[in-house]
Amino acid sequence: MSVVRALYAKPWIWSFVAAIGVWLVTIAFTGGSSAGGLAQAALTFAAFSIIVGIGQMFVITLGPGNVDLSIPATMTLAGTVALKIMDTNDSLILVGILVALAIGLAIGVINYGLIKLLRIPPIIATLSSSFIIQSAAISYNRGIRIKPPAALAEFTTATTLGIPNLAYFALLVSAVAWVALEKGIYGRWVSAVGQNMRAARMAGVPVDGVRAGTYLVCAVLASLAGLLLSCFSGGAALNMGAEYLLTSIAVVVIGGTAVAGGFANIPGIWGASLFLFLVVSMLNTYGASAGIRLLLTGVIIIAVIIAASRSPRA
Amino acid sequence: MNWLSADRLRLVVPALSLAVLLAAVFWIQPRAMSYTGLNLLFNLAVPIALATIAQMLIMTVNDLDLSMGTFVSFTACVTATFLQSNPLLGVLILAGCVGVYAVLGVVIYLRNLPSIVVTLGMSFVWGGLAVLLLPAPGGVAPDWIRAVMVSKPPFVPMAIIASVLIAAVAHWIVIRSAFGVVIRGVGGNERSVTRAGWSVLRARASAYALAGVFAVLAGMCLVGLTTSADANIALRYTLLSIAGVILGGGEFVGGRVSPIGAVIGALTLTLAASFLSFLKISPDWQIGAQGAILIVVLALRLVLNRHEGRTAR
């Protein structure tokens, strides 16, 4: 019984167990030669999922039906516009970052405006706005690839003390989010709204402010991730955010955050992001075809979810 | 009893949006106002309507299927390969798919899993299977499906007949039959359904299985129209089907769904795409304009909800 209770207390444990397991299986195949490189690659690519995943986590924690589907489009638009404005010029980096953040803020405001003023369910509201954002990105640049400024490209691809800079950045974002969630009033409010919106309102929680703030945070993190991703990959592409639609939701839920809302979990996002990347690279290492890779990824995700499920019905 | 009951009222906005959109299309392109024109406009709505009904069944029991697009793609691939070359095996595979959906319904209920995540995982599974089956676009539609989809019944185009038929059958199952009442009950209040002596497990399994049946039909119809398949043929159906249900007056929770509305929602979404191409909007803004139409239609619902709030059911 005490073991069960310990697992209740740490819903994120499964994602780390799974990630380490997959890492071990992969380096077993290569004979340990690529263990370090693999861990480095995993940290780099997981950083993007972690950043967008944390935003998505706060949104999902707001309660049933809350999810942000505009993350991929936001990433694309922020990356495209910021890179075009910086125009490979190192001296404009600050402007570029501010523009990306402003785009995130604007999208957050629009998303919550649709949800609050027009009372559109969040899934559909963010879906509709993502269509418009995607169109804006297409018409702004028509998919022409502009190189990132050298300093930003250098920062996003380099490592410090053997650990990718992006991983440090993701750690910083996670730390801030963790403090806000566990120690700050904002986290209490988000959880309270997610557990019972009416009760939260009666207890004096500024429900609308909290929800608006959360959609803003999510959009800003997405725009930041979009900027970093486009710098990392040497230019913004129109479909570059696409895979983060499912990934951002998957890392949140595999990481042990309650889908029904009210209970968030940041360490789990790290475990789940590393896990998802490692699964794909494990299957690559074993030479699996694209079909097999997708198939096994799905099977493994479901297996982890079932293994981690808390309460089987009596 | 007021004739304009709340449930009927919920259909007014979707129906009105469709009518306005259709009128606008006729205004811009009068030639669309013909047998062939209507058929062309609504052809592709048939598989979308079927997928929307499938999504609606899942939403009836308060779940959401994020694998709808990949699943319809997979069934389309099966239809264009096995069902064509080896009908018996093809039928077995498709029946197996329906079985998998029933199992999903059971597992999600028994283990108390979030449907969003399980179906997210399944979307990888179906996508992988589809790529394994058809790594490159190909396959051939079975002749009989092709024949049904391109048939030209007198007076009313096939696409319209099919849509009406889908709406009628789904309406009968979900609104009129005892089974429909039970699954809507599961969405509305699971405990009261249990107390009334019904098996929630069985209801959820059948709702999922039935959704599987409609999704399989969607894949078959799609191949009948396109004559061949590929692994990514229907990926956008996931979001289209959810949007269709919501446009049609359905809700994410509470078992409040409208099959007729869902079909109208699917027709509206299809028509919106044609409308925009008639408007000669720059291709860059095609998707964006679709998003805008979605927002406008849903904003109209706000007015309706206010009214409903006043009449208080």
Side-chain angles (χ1 to χ4, degrees):
Chain A
M1 205 54 215
S2 64
V3 179
V4 177
R5 216 167 283 152
L7 284 180
Y8 263 110
K10 295 182 180 60
W12 46 265
I13 195 83
W14 287 98
S15 59
F16 278 96
V17 169
I20 294 171
V22 174
W23 182 70
L24 287 176
V25 172
T26 314
I27 58 171
F29 181 81
T30 59
S33 61
S34 65
L38 181 63
Q40 235 173 39
L43 281 172
T44 308
F45 284 96
F48 300 116
S49 333
I50 290 167
I51 297 170
V52 293
I54 285 175
Q56 187 74 278
M57 177 197 75
F58 280 120
V59 171
I60 288 179
T61 304
L62 283 177
N66 282 293
V67 69
D68 188 347
L69 298 185
S70 67
I71 287 180
T74 308
M75 292 172 74
T76 308
L77 184 67
T80 316
V81 175
L83 251 53
K84 189 166 178 185
I85 284 178
M86 291 188 283
D87 199 20
T88 72
N89 198 336
D90 273 348
S91 61
L92 289 175
I93 286 180
L94 191 64
V95 181
I97 292 175
L98 287 177
V99 165
L101 293 179
I103 288 173
L105 278 175
I107 291 172
V109 169
I110 293 171
N111 279 342
Y112 192 66
L114 292 176
I115 294 166
K116 177 68 190 171
L117 299 178
L118 297 185
R119 305 228 196 111
I120 300 177
I123 295 188
I124 303 293
T126 53
L127 174 68
S128 320
S129 72
S130 82
F131 286 162
I132 298 176
I133 302 163
Q134 185 73 24
S135 271
I138 295 173
S139 80
Y140 183 73
N141 204 22
R142 307 196 154 259
I144 297 165
R145 229 176 155 85
I146 297 176
K147 277 204 161 62
L152 264 185
E154 168 69 21
F155 170 79
T156 48
T157 46
T159 60
T160 307
L161 301 176
I163 293 176
N165 288 343
L166 284 172
Y168 288 116
F169 186 77
L171 189 64
L172 179 71
V173 172
S174 313
V176 172
W178 188 83
V179 170
L181 181 70
E182 305 286 340
K183 303 290 167 199
I185 185 78
Y186 170 71
R188 307 286 97 189
W189 280 346
V190 170
S191 304
V193 170
Q195 282 160 24
N196 190 330
M197 189 144 82
R198 254 186 95 198
R201 186 166 277 143
M202 286 174 176
V205 174
V207 173
D208 289 324
V210 170
R211 295 181 70 200
T214 305
Y215 278 93
L216 278 177
V217 166
C218 183
V220 168
L221 285 175
S223 64
L224 212 52
L227 176 63
L228 291 172
L229 180 61
S230 54
C231 291
F232 173 78
S233 50
L238 286 177
N239 62 348
M240 71 180 193
E243 64 173 297
Y244 290 94
L245 178 62
L246 294 188
T247 309
S248 68
I249 302 173
V251 295
V252 172
V253 183
I254 294 176
T257 293
V259 184
F263 298 92
N265 190 307
I266 290 175
I269 291 186
W270 278 76
S273 299
L274 292 169
F275 166 66
L276 280 185
F277 175 80
L278 286 168
V279 165
V280 174
S281 55
M282 172 185 78
L283 297 171
N284 275 333
T285 315
Y286 280 80
S289 72
I292 300 277
R293 214 160 58 213
L294 281 169
L295 179 64
L296 287 179
T297 309
V299 170
I300 292 172
I301 290 179
I302 294 176
V304 170
I305 295 294
I306 292 180
S309 64
R310 319 257 168 80
S311 54
R313 247 168 243 264
Chain B
M1 274 303 282
N2 189 354
W3 179 84
L4 206 62
S5 69
D7 281 329
R8 290 220 170 101
L9 201 60
R10 292 170 84 79
L11 275 180
V12 170
V13 170
L16 216 59
S17 327
L18 181 64
V20 169
L21 211 52
L22 196 59
V25 168
F26 287 161
W27 175 265
I28 302 171
Q29 188 56 273
R31 271 175 296 174
M33 214 178 336
S34 64
Y35 185 96
T36 326
L38 278 175
N39 205 24
L40 283 175
L41 278 180
F42 288 117
N43 234 341
L44 282 171
V46 177
I48 297 177
L50 286 164
T52 307
I53 294 293
Q55 184 71 262
M56 187 200 70
L57 285 162
I58 306 271
M59 278 163 71
T60 309
V61 294
N62 290 355
D63 284 351
L64 203 57
D65 186 355
L66 293 186
S67 64
M68 189 57 70
T70 47
F71 181 65
V72 173
S73 303
F74 172 67
T75 58
C77 290
V78 173
T79 306
T81 52
F82 286 114
L83 198 60
Q84 199 265 336
S85 57
N86 186 346
L88 183 64
L89 187 59
V91 168
L92 281 178
I93 294 176
L94 293 176
C97 290
V98 173
V100 170
Y101 257 79
V103 170
L104 283 180
V106 171
V107 171
I108 288 174
Y109 174 68
L110 284 183
R111 304 285 306 183
N112 207 4
L113 298 173
S115 61
I116 294 186
V117 194
V118 176
T119 54
L120 201 65
M122 285 311 292
S123 75
F124 287 96
V125 173
W126 300 124
L129 288 173
V131 171
L132 285 178
L133 203 54
L134 274 182
V140 181
D143 292 332
W144 59 275
I145 296 181
R146 179 89 190 125
V148 171
M149 292 312 290
V150 299
S151 62
K152 288 192 164 40
F155 309 120
V156 188
M158 185 62 194
I160 308 288
I161 293 182
S163 304
V164 171
L165 194 67
I166 295 166
V169 169
H171 181 81
W172 183 81
I173 294 175
V174 176
I175 307 293
R176 291 302 180 92
S177 76
F179 164 74
V181 174
V182 173
I183 61 167
R184 282 187 293 140
V186 169
N189 190 337
E190 206 173 85
R191 192 178 292 173
S192 66
V193 171
T194 319
R195 294 252 166 93
W198 296 90
S199 159
V200 174
L201 180 69
R202 199 175 303 159
R204 292 180 70 100
S206 353
Y208 267 79
L210 198 60
V213 171
F214 275 100
V216 165
L217 290 176
M220 291 168 66
C221 286
L222 185 57
V223 170
L225 290 170
T226 58
T227 69
S228 70
D230 91 79
N232 301 323
I233 190 167
L235 291 191
R236 51 195 197 99
Y237 278 29
T238 303
L239 297 176
L240 276 181
S241 62
I242 299 175
V245 177
I246 301 296
L247 267 185
E251 277 169 34
F252 284 104
V253 288
R256 299 183 75 183
V257 292
S258 159
I260 297 177
V263 171
I264 293 179
L267 294 179
T268 310
L269 285 171
T270 321
L271 197 59
S274 319
F275 172 65
L276 294 170
S277 56
F278 284 142
L279 270 188
K280 301 205 175 64
I281 290 183
S282 125
D284 296 353
W285 285 96
Q286 290 271 350
I287 332 170
Q290 258 185 357
I293 289 185
L294 211 54
I295 292 172
V296 170
V297 174
L298 289 170
L300 286 176
R301 254 177 64 164
L302 181 65
V303 183
L304 169 86
N305 285 345
R306 288 245 171 91
H307 181 91
E308 200 178 315
R310 245 182 285 130
T311 51
R313 353 184 333 139

PDB file of all heavy atoms in Angstrom, chain B residues 69 94 107 122 149 188 212 239 243 265:
ATOM      1  N   GLY B  69      -8.345  11.436 -38.065  1.00  0.00           N
ATOM      2  CA  GLY B  69      -7.750  11.662 -39.376  1.00  0.00           C
ATOM      3  C   GLY B  69      -6.867  10.508 -39.829  1.00  0.00           C
ATOM      4  O   GLY B  69      -6.995  10.015 -40.954  1.00  0.00           O
ATOM      5  N   LEU B  94     -11.085  -4.462 -41.817  1.00  0.00           N
ATOM      6  CA  LEU B  94     -11.930  -3.332 -41.420  1.00  0.00           C
ATOM      7  C   LEU B  94     -12.772  -3.693 -40.195  1.00  0.00           C
ATOM      8  O   LEU B  94     -12.957  -2.877 -39.296  1.00  0.00           O
ATOM      9  CB  LEU B  94     -12.806  -2.892 -42.592  1.00  0.00           C
ATOM     10  CG  LEU B  94     -12.021  -2.278 -43.765  1.00  0.00           C
ATOM     11  CD1 LEU B  94     -12.937  -1.947 -44.929  1.00  0.00           C
ATOM     12  CD2 LEU B  94     -11.263  -1.034 -43.330  1.00  0.00           C
ATOM     13  N   VAL B 107     -10.931  -0.087 -22.652  1.00  0.00           N
ATOM     14  CA  VAL B 107      -9.688   0.188 -21.919  1.00  0.00           C
ATOM     15  C   VAL B 107      -9.734   1.586 -21.298  1.00  0.00           C
ATOM     16  O   VAL B 107      -9.385   1.778 -20.134  1.00  0.00           O
ATOM     17  CB  VAL B 107      -8.460   0.049 -22.850  1.00  0.00           C
ATOM     18  CG1 VAL B 107      -7.203   0.549 -22.161  1.00  0.00           C
ATOM     19  CG2 VAL B 107      -8.302  -1.396 -23.281  1.00  0.00           C
ATOM     20  N   MET B 122      -2.901   6.304 -30.515  1.00  0.00           N
ATOM     21  CA  MET B 122      -3.449   5.524 -31.619  1.00  0.00           C
ATOM     22  C   MET B 122      -3.208   6.218 -32.951  1.00  0.00           C
ATOM     23  O   MET B 122      -3.083   5.556 -33.983  1.00  0.00           O
ATOM     24  CB  MET B 122      -4.962   5.311 -31.425  1.00  0.00           C
ATOM     25  CG  MET B 122      -5.321   4.279 -30.366  1.00  0.00           C
ATOM     26  SD  MET B 122      -4.419   2.715 -30.536  1.00  0.00           S
ATOM     27  CE  MET B 122      -5.106   2.065 -32.053  1.00  0.00           C
ATOM     28  N   MET B 149     -20.342   5.892 -55.520  1.00  0.00           N
ATOM     29  CA  MET B 149     -20.010   7.290 -55.262  1.00  0.00           C
ATOM     30  C   MET B 149     -20.221   8.184 -56.477  1.00  0.00           C
ATOM     31  O   MET B 149     -20.489   9.376 -56.336  1.00  0.00           O
ATOM     32  CB  MET B 149     -18.561   7.422 -54.769  1.00  0.00           C
ATOM     33  CG  MET B 149     -18.299   6.844 -53.390  1.00  0.00           C
ATOM     34  SD  MET B 149     -19.481   7.328 -52.125  1.00  0.00           S
ATOM     35  CE  MET B 149     -19.072   9.053 -51.902  1.00  0.00           C
ATOM     36  N   GLY B 188     -24.062  12.525 -20.116  1.00  0.00           N
ATOM     37  CA  GLY B 188     -24.713  13.483 -19.232  1.00  0.00           C
ATOM     38  C   GLY B 188     -24.474  13.177 -17.770  1.00  0.00           C
ATOM     39  O   GLY B 188     -24.043  14.043 -17.010  1.00  0.00           O
ATOM     40  N   GLY B 212     -16.278   3.618 -34.880  1.00  0.00           N
ATOM     41  CA  GLY B 212     -15.370   2.924 -35.792  1.00  0.00           C
ATOM     42  C   GLY B 212     -16.058   2.607 -37.110  1.00  0.00           C
ATOM     43  O   GLY B 212     -15.480   2.788 -38.187  1.00  0.00           O
ATOM     44  N   LEU B 239      -9.319  17.495 -37.107  1.00  0.00           N
ATOM     45  CA  LEU B 239      -9.782  18.810 -36.693  1.00  0.00           C
ATOM     46  C   LEU B 239     -11.102  19.174 -37.375  1.00  0.00           C
ATOM     47  O   LEU B 239     -11.985  19.759 -36.753  1.00  0.00           O
ATOM     48  CB  LEU B 239      -8.705  19.853 -36.977  1.00  0.00           C
ATOM     49  CG  LEU B 239      -7.419  19.603 -36.189  1.00  0.00           C
ATOM     50  CD1 LEU B 239      -6.345  20.591 -36.558  1.00  0.00           C
ATOM     51  CD2 LEU B 239      -7.696  19.670 -34.686  1.00  0.00           C
ATOM     52  N   ALA B 243     -14.479  20.279 -35.422  1.00  0.00           N
ATOM     53  CA  ALA B 243     -15.100  21.565 -35.745  1.00  0.00           C
ATOM     54  C   ALA B 243     -16.519  21.364 -36.256  1.00  0.00           C
ATOM     55  O   ALA B 243     -17.426  22.139 -35.930  1.00  0.00           O
ATOM     56  CB  ALA B 243     -14.255  22.301 -36.785  1.00  0.00           C
ATOM     57  N   GLY B 265     -22.862  20.819 -40.124  1.00  0.00           N
ATOM     58  CA  GLY B 265     -21.556  21.405 -39.829  1.00  0.00           C
ATOM     59  C   GLY B 265     -20.510  20.957 -40.836  1.00  0.00           C
ATOM     60  O   GLY B 265     -19.717  21.764 -41.336  1.00  0.00           O
TER      61      GLY B 265
END
